């Protein structure tokens, strides 16, 4: 009887952890890093369970139960950074959308000791859902094992937290049903510009949990539109846009932190590579350039090429 009870308990734990994930690795210009090296270890680093309460301070970096031993890596403004997924399985398995925020540590404050409180967060990247008026809703994040985005070249130099969140909405038809998979990395941005990031939000505070993109039934009736949670994306200078839907193409990675790319081993790396210079007309690097129902530009700024990600998304890469 005891062994049977243990078996039942194990099965329940396995079901609970199934299809859950974390973001342990930071990518810098394509190079992978050690798990939790520059990413703050989250409360769910072992059980993989999501955060569901948007009113708690753990909606910020989900790290209240950890010791905060992450290091800070130096990256140049304009660099490509990202996060890799580890879990069961090691990809964004659930239907959902993605947001990436940044927040600058106050002057004179080491970002490693800063909790990210206050109205200081601005969005730099998002991957939304795709709808066609009520027939279908699809989620380009599904199956991604890593995400990448560009730190705006005009971002002022300084120490920042980078916060990624995948909002799984497969069971979001009731309040508290949306699942937030969160991680925060620590970076020191160099060679920045004089842009003014915004709009600014706070965590908690950015979400009430009642937003149409968070409290939603994606199955019936199928939504005719989808409203991305959070503020508009800040792309540089004083501008922002609410229509950014760039998506990184799916790639195959393992659940471990090992990588064939050369790891970054120092806290103060000397990354100075900037994205290639774009010339001509068309969509910018990482912007959408095609897909079912897409009506925007279908060509990319040189030297980028419009690359098919899936039937709903093509991206300038």
């Amino acid at each position: 009887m005891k062994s049977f009870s243990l078996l039942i308990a194990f099965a329940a734990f396995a079901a609970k952890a199934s299809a859950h994930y974390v973001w342990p690795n930071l990518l810098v210009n394509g190079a992978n890093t050690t798990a939790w090296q520059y990413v703050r270890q989250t409360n769910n680093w072992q059980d993989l369970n999501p955060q569901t309460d948007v009113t708690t301070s753990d909606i910020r970096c989900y790290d209240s139960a950890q010791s905060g031993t992450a290091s800070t890596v130096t990256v140049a403004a304009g660099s490509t950074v990202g996060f890799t997924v580890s879990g069961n399985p090691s990809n964004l398995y659930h239907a959902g959308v993605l947001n990436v925020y940044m927040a600058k540590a106050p002057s004179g404050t080491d970002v490693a000791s800063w909790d990210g409180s206050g109205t200081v967060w601005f969005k730099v990247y998002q991957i939304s859902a795709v709808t066609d008026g009520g027939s279908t809703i699809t989620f380009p994040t599904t199956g991604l094992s890593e995400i990448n985005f560009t730190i705006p070249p005009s971002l002022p130099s300084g120490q920042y937290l980078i916060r990624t969140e995948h909002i799984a909405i497969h069971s979001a038809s009731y309040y508290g049903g949306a699942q937030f998979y969160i991680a925060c990395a620590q970076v020191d941005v160099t060679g920045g510009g004089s842009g003014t990031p915004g709009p600014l939000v706070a965590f908690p505070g950015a979400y009430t949990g009642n937003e149409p993109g968070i409290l939603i039934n994606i199955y019936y009736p199928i939504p005719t539109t989808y409203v991305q949670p959070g503020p508009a994306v800040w792309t540089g200078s004083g501008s922002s846009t609410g229509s950014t839907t760039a998506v990184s193409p799916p790639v195959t990675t393992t659940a471990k932190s090992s990588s064939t790319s050369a790891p970054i081993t120092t806290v103060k790396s000397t990354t100075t590579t900037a994205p290639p210079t774009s010339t001509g007309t068309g969509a910018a690097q990482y912007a959408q350039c095609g897909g079912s129902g897409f009506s925007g530009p279908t060509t990319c700024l040189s030297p980028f090429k419009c690359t098919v990600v899936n039937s709903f998304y093509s991206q300038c890469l």
Side-chain angles (χ1 to χ4, degrees):
M1 180 65 70
K2 183 177 180 180
S3 61
F4 179 74
S5 298
L6 290 174
L7 181 62
I8 293 297
F10 177 79
F13 173 80
K16 187 176 182 180
S18 177
H20 292 174
Y21 31 86
V22 291
W23 303 91
N25 303 75
L26 185 69
L27 292 161
V28 180
N29 289 322
N32 207 349
T33 60
T34 304
W36 311 117
Q37 183 179 8
Y38 303 116
V39 179
R40 294 181 174 182
Q41 193 171 71
T42 49
N43 297 354
N44 63 337
W45 72 279
Q46 288 181 308
D47 63 29
L48 310 182
N49 290 330
Q51 176 60 248
T52 57
D53 184 357
V54 299
T55 67
T56 177
S57 61
D58 266 332
I59 198 65
R60 191 180 302 140
C61 291
Y62 204 12
D63 62 347
S64 62
Q66 303 305 313
S67 58
T69 57
S71 299
T72 301
V73 63
T74 300
V75 297
S79 296
T80 299
V81 297
F83 293 82
T84 63
V85 183
S86 178
N88 181 27
S90 290
N91 60 58
L92 302 180
Y93 178 86
H94 291 308
V97 298
L98 181 121
N99 289 317
V100 178
Y101 293 85
M102 295 185 70
K104 188 177 183 181
S107 178
T109 300
D110 186 346
V111 69
S113 61
W114 184 49
D115 65 359
S117 59
T119 307
V120 292
W121 296 89
F122 54 96
K123 190 190 292 186
V124 294
Y125 184 70
Q126 68 182 29
I127 304 176
S128 193
V130 178
T131 61
D132 59 3
S135 296
T136 62
I137 180 169
T138 57
F139 300 91
T141 61
T142 303
L144 294 180
S145 54
E146 67 178 48
I147 61 105
N148 288 278
F149 63 96
T150 299
I151 295 179
S154 61
L155 182 72
S157 299
Q159 293 191 339
Y160 289 82
L161 289 175
I162 302 178
R163 175 185 177 277
T164 185
E165 65 176 9
H166 188 242
I167 309 175
I169 53 176
H170 60 290
S171 60
S173 59
Y174 61 94
Y175 184 86
Q179 300 177 355
F180 292 78
Y181 296 89
I182 304 164
C184 287
Q186 300 170 183
V187 300
D188 187 359
V189 176
T190 61
S194 57
T196 305
L200 301 178
V201 297
F203 289 103
Y207 309 137
T208 66
N210 291 303
E211 288 79 6
I214 294 177
L215 181 59
I216 183 174
N217 185 336
I218 63 173
Y219 304 107
Y220 186 83
I222 295 173
T224 58
T225 60
Y226 181 81
V227 180
Q228 184 79 356
V233 172
W234 183 72
T235 57
S237 300
S239 64
S240 61
T241 173
S243 60
T244 300
T245 51
V247 54
S248 301
V251 295
T252 302
T253 61
T254 65
K256 303 298 182 181
S257 61
S258 59
S259 172
T260 56
S261 301
I264 297 173
T265 56
T266 59
V267 174
K268 295 292 185 180
S269 66
T270 55
T271 303
T272 58
T273 304
T277 302
S278 301
T279 60
T281 59
Q285 185 183 20
Y286 300 121
Q288 184 178 1
C289 57
S292 177
F294 178 69
S295 59
T298 56
T299 59
C300 302
L301 292 172
S302 177
F304 309 113
K305 304 296 183 183
C306 190
T307 304
V308 175
V309 175
N310 54 44
S311 60
F312 298 96
Y313 257 85
S314 295
Q315 183 182 17
C316 293
L317 300 171

